[in-house]
Amino acid sequence: MNSQNPRQLAFLTLRDIHKGAYADVALDRFLRASNLNDINRKFATELVYGSVRRQRTLDAIIDQLGKKKAHQQPTDLRTILHLGLYQLRYLTNIPVSAAINTTVELAKENKFAGLSGVVNALLRQYDRISTTNQDPLILPENLVERLGTLYSFPNWIIQLWLEQWGEAETEQLCEWMNQTPAIDLRINPLKTTLEEVENIFKSADILVRKIPHLPQALRLIGSTGAIQNLPGFKEGWWTVQDSSAQMVTHLLDPQPGETIIDACAAPGGKTTHIVELMQDDGKVWACDRTPSRLKKLQENAQRLDLKSIEICTGDSRNFPQFTNVADRVLLDVPCSGLGTLHRHADARWRQTPENVKELSILQRELLDSASKYVKPGGSLVYSTCTLHPLENEQAIEDFLTTHANWQIELPAANSPIYSFVTPSGWIKVLPHREQMDGFFMVRLRSTTSCLAANSLLI
């Protein structure tokens, strides 16, 4: 690989993704092996994530302009065409001639010299139509197909969002999900203050801004380079965590001296937030099935200098030792991630309605088990980063129907997140409205009194 060529790196990364690799994992692997400077790393990242996000749109353009449909093209040639068309359609800072010529060279360098003329002709045809103020992309009349083609989402996701919010908001949500995600930080109040972190970034000419309602949150503005090189990282003054995820722990409202179970803890953003809010006084059981992800949690906790975390490896549906142990339980369940599709470029193509149904079964099993770990009178927060009712509202409604001794509990009126609560008692963060990841969260309280629980044992 030419380690100085961001387009070649993007091509090789995309080739791995189309063979089944996760986009972030593949990109990280190639970037680590390259010698690209920060500007070219950012450009390669944009090409990879953009081409994956816009895959359906780019295929539709190939279908309409090419002699062969996208699915009939050799896979690698289709990837090269994606890269060229993505630059022409979405990157206004790349000159047309540079986008076309470098894509033709990319074809020649990757065993498609004989088809480089095809690449050149298709891209120039796209440019010719564009210069007449026409859109080379012809959209279907059917609403679902039209939005799916224009914004590059599978039809089932478009249909799901249309049913919940209608056409105008679905378009806003699609546009939001195709943007480069913001990076939010959560300052560690046991080591520093929000103002102190603001000042160290200002001194380093890095722009940040506060996020309303969230007392520990800062959002990075603009390009910053590698996160681990930013001021305060090594000192444990802050960690990366989206605003919506910070809201979950405020809803849990952990207190000093409590025993808390984080039932699906890895990679640990919410676990460490729990410890910070309880002033590192108490015990937090961090449970997860995956040892490698728990290792990342431990590394982050060590960097933040947090002492109250105990690791428990295993399936959170089967921890009888935790029965009636916890003052509070956080259950941030595995989900379809439909609220974070901007962060995971390939997730929109990996998830299916069948996957969602399978996840919903797991979520209900986890919720049933986790409820048993709560002390009588204790509370449980259920959260997801998805926007699918089957995983959110319906999961809670089903749970309350079959667990008569549980009810929804609102956060206190002085909670940072009180204003987000819906009339139903839960919180559903819509990205295009709140400018943060899509999340669902609700706090449940066990209405079984300690006295009633003890009487059952007599």
Side-chain angles (χ1 to χ4, degrees), residues 38 183 220 222-230:
D38 284 346
I183 297 176
L220 294 171
S223 180
T224 59
I227 290 293
Q228 62 269 23
N229 294 334
L230 295 180

Side-chain angles (χ1 to χ4, degrees), residues 90-111:
Y90 298 108
L91 299 186
T92 55
N93 60 328
I94 304 295
V96 169
S97 59
I100 294 175
N101 293 338
T102 56
T103 306
V104 170
E105 287 303 310
L106 204 59
K108 293 177 180 177
E109 290 172 11
N110 292 282
K111 302 180 181 179

